Amino acid sequence: MDLSRLAKKNHYEHITEQLKQLILSGELQPGAKLPSTKELSEQFGVGRSTTREALSALKAMGLIDIRQGGNCTVKSVPSSGQDFLPDLQNLLTNKETILELLEARKSLEVSNAALASLKRDEQDLIALEQILQEMALHAGDEEIGERTDLLFHLTLAKATHNSIMVRLFETISAQMEIAIRETRRVEIYSNRSVSEQFYSEHQAIFAAIRDQQPEQTQTRMKDHLLHVETILMKYLTD
């Protein structure tokens, strides 16, 4: 696989573009496994966080699957080719698109919260509790905070035991990850006080799910997402 090493001024979009072209050209066939994040980072000459951003963008485009453990596999490309790909640069700079994503996420996650509180099983509770324990241990750690936050919401979606809800969540969260990643990283995950507040909010959501209180779960999820939105809005308004 022929990859071009990046200059320091380059961003993850350049990695995304190179890998996208390899997939669309057929050089990377459906089912092919990409090198590990570590290997890709070394080939491009960038940090792992930059490579992860590029992989998240490719996932949002529908070009790859990212499985547990970080293994990435190329997906089949629709015959329409690039027409199906979202305009990432527009997504990054379009305030209206980000606001629509926030609105969609809020509607979906509030519904997921209520459904999860009714359908969760013991394994779901164990998984959520383990994520909360990791959050508590690593408050203020940027990388772990980002990963556990996304994992908590994904695990909650899976606790609905509705595959459509999970797929909808994965689609919206992947797009959100591209659009607001840097803002979240600086203002949320590396800020210990914000991380601790988010931990408390996630813990409250978990308690309501554990106690099977759908209305209370919805309220707590709304409060949490409103907090996220308040932070992001500082960067979306002039």
Side-chain angles (χ1 to χ4, degrees):
M1 189 167 60
D2 186 20
L3 300 174
S4 300
R5 196 172 178 85
L6 304 186
K8 286 186 178 179
K9 65 180 181 180
N10 292 117
H11 298 293
Y12 78 91
E13 291 96 333
H14 296 81
I15 301 175
T16 304
E17 186 61 27
Q18 283 195 53
L19 293 174
K20 182 181 79 173
Q21 291 306 320
L22 289 172
I23 294 170
L24 294 178
S25 69
E27 186 169 340
L28 285 172
Q29 293 288 319
K33 290 184 178 180
L34 295 182
S36 68
T37 303
K38 180 178 182 293
E39 292 169 329
L40 285 172
S41 299
E42 289 173 351
Q43 290 184 61
F44 283 116
V46 298
R48 294 191 196 185
S49 61
T50 301
T51 302
R52 280 193 290 267
E53 289 179 56
L55 295 175
S56 294
L58 291 168
K59 179 181 177 181
M61 293 176 181
L63 292 176
I64 65 171
D65 275 327
I66 303 178
R67 303 185 183 279
Q68 191 169 5
N71 297 319
C72 300
T73 305
V74 177
K75 295 176 66 174
S76 298
V77 180
S79 59
S80 56
Q82 295 191 29
D83 292 343
F84 83 103
L85 300 175
D87 183 348
L88 289 181
Q89 193 56 43
N90 183 59
L91 181 63
L92 288 165
T93 57
N94 190 327
K95 174 183 173 182
E96 183 178 351
T97 301
I98 294 174
L99 290 173
E100 288 181 353
L101 281 168
L102 287 168
E103 187 174 58
R105 180 191 176 187
K106 189 186 300 180
S107 296
L108 178 64
E109 289 226 64
V110 168
S111 296
N112 281 353
L115 195 56
S117 71
L118 295 173
K119 297 179 67 177
R120 95 293 184 278
D121 58 27
E122 287 304 312
Q123 288 305 309
D124 296 322
L125 294 179
I126 290 169
L128 287 167
E129 199 160 23
Q130 287 174 341
I131 296 165
L132 286 171
Q133 289 171 358
E134 191 172 5
M135 280 184 183
L137 286 172
H138 300 283
D141 184 305
E142 179 183 304
E143 186 172 340
I144 295 176
E146 183 175 28
R147 177 175 59 79
T148 53
D149 184 15
L150 292 170
L151 186 58
F152 180 90
H153 289 271
L154 175 59
T155 304
L156 186 151
K158 290 179 177 179
T160 67
H161 296 273
N162 184 314
S163 63
I164 303 300
M165 290 297 204
V166 175
R167 289 170 62 188
L168 286 171
F169 172 79
E170 289 178 333
T171 299
I172 292 174
S173 66
Q175 298 284 6
M176 287 291 295
E177 201 171 336
I178 297 166
I180 64 173
R181 187 168 187 137
E182 290 307 318
T183 299
R184 291 192 317 182
R185 178 175 294 154
V186 173
E187 286 294 313
I188 297 174
Y189 303 124
S190 62
N191 185 321
R192 187 176 183 87
S193 64
V194 174
S195 292
E196 289 174 348
Q197 179 61 35
F198 272 35
Y199 167 73
S200 296
E201 292 167 6
H202 284 119
Q203 195 173 42
I205 293 167
F206 168 75
I209 291 173
R210 181 196 60 209
D211 297 341
Q212 295 192 299
Q213 299 291 329
E215 291 184 8
Q216 193 172 53
T217 309
Q218 285 184 312
T219 298
R220 290 175 175 178
M221 178 62 79
K222 285 178 186 176
D223 290 343
H224 170 59
L225 295 178
L226 180 61
H227 186 188
V228 176
E229 190 172 323
T230 300
I231 293 172
L232 296 176
M233 286 301 293
K234 294 190 296 183
Y235 294 86
L236 298 179
T237 56
D238 298 323

